[in-house]
Amino acid sequence: MAAAPLAACGFTPAYGPSGPARGLAGQIGMDDPTDRNSFDLVGRLQERLGRSRAPRWKLGYSIDTNSVGLGITAANTITRYNITGSVTYRLTDEASGQTVTRGLVKNFTSYAASGTVISTTASERDAYERLMRILADQIVTDLIATSASWAGA
C-alpha cells in the first residue's frame, strides 16, 4: 500500500527490478590509479560499484586537492589544516567511446596538526583518504541519479 503513491508519481527505486541502476554493479571500469589519492578513490568506487572484468562503461577522472592552514598560534604555528578536493569525471561507453555522462564533485575535510610529527602525518593521510571516500560516494550518487538517461543505452 505504501508503494502505491510512489508508483503513481513515477518513482522507480534505482536498484528495483526495473530500476535503471540495477545493472551498474560490476559494469564500470575505472582508470588505473597513479597515486595515493587515486588509489583511495578507485578503491571506494570499486567497493560501491564492484570490480569489472568486462566493463560496459569506463570512468575517467581527474583529482584536484588543496591544503590550507586554518588554526595559527601566537607563535605562528599552524594547528589545523583544511583540505579541499574536487573530482572531474567522465563516463564513456566502452563499445562506442562516446561520453554518456560527466560531472564534478567537491568536498572538504580537515585535520589537526598539533601533535607529534608522526601523529600529524597520520592525521593528514587519514584526512586525504576520507576526502577521497567522500568524493567517490558523491560520484556514485551522481551516477545512480543519472543512470536512467544512459544505463539503458
Side-chain angles (χ1 to χ4, degrees):
M1 282 304 239
L6 293 176
C9 73
F11 174 79
T12 303
Y15 289 112
S18 60
R22 77 186 185 297
L24 296 184
Q27 296 297 312
I28 299 176
M30 288 121 206
D31 284 351
D32 292 333
T34 58
D35 59 12
R36 181 179 294 276
N37 284 340
S38 60
F39 181 82
D40 291 337
L41 180 81
V42 168
R44 180 60 175 171
L45 288 168
Q46 288 177 339
E47 281 178 34
R48 297 282 313 273
L49 297 170
R51 291 186 181 198
S52 178
R53 291 197 173 120
R56 182 173 176 191
W57 299 285
K58 177 83 172 204
L59 183 70
Y61 56 86
S62 176
I63 302 170
D64 184 37
T65 61
N66 187 33
S67 180
V68 178
L70 294 178
I72 301 175
T73 66
N76 209 23
T77 303
I78 298 174
T79 60
R80 188 153 195 84
Y81 286 89
N82 198 34
I83 304 169
T84 59
S86 64
V87 176
T88 303
Y89 67 90
R90 182 177 74 180
L91 191 70
T92 56
D93 183 294
E94 283 280 75
S96 69
Q98 292 199 2
T99 299
V100 293
T101 190
R102 65 179 68 222
L104 170 68
V105 293
K106 298 179 182 182
N107 222 305
F108 72 96
T109 58
S110 60
Y111 67 96
S114 55
T116 65
V117 172
I118 293 171
S119 68
T120 298
T121 302
S123 294
E124 178 184 22
R125 192 173 283 173
D126 177 68
Y128 276 98
E129 182 180 351
R130 284 184 286 123
L131 179 59
M132 293 304 112
R133 290 179 67 83
I134 291 166
L135 293 169
D137 286 345
Q138 286 179 268
I139 291 170
V140 171
T141 300
D142 283 359
L143 293 176
I144 291 169
T146 62
S147 63
S149 65
W150 53 266

